[in-house]
Amino acid sequence: MLTTLTQRELELLILLIDAPSNEELAQKLHIEIKSVETCKTRIGEKLNQTGKGALLRFALRYRSLLEPLKN
């Protein structure tokens, strides 16, 4: 499931654990808020996670798998 994500999508998913707002994510990744929203939508589609907070819940649930992927 995580193998379907690009490196940037993985990075955003990992950062989502500590910076859940789109504004914080945009600042940390040095991208526009709209880019964060688009990326989160793509991640949600790939992981079949829809609805408000679904990606954050997913990231927290699978934190032990995501943490080792941090660069």
Side-chain angles (χ1 to χ4, degrees), residues 10-54:
L10 271 174
E11 185 179 6
L12 189 142
L13 190 59
I14 292 165
L15 287 174
L16 186 61
I17 295 169
D18 297 320
S21 80
N22 289 347
E23 292 82 11
E24 289 176 279
L25 291 168
Q27 286 178 339
K28 288 187 180 220
L29 294 171
H30 307 288
I31 59 175
E32 297 293 324
I33 293 172
K34 182 64 178 164
S35 297
V36 169
E37 294 167 354
T38 301
C39 192
K40 285 172 72 174
T41 299
R42 281 194 311 253
I43 295 169
E45 290 170 353
K46 288 180 179 183
L47 298 178
N48 199 25
Q49 299 295 312
T50 58
K52 191 168 185 152

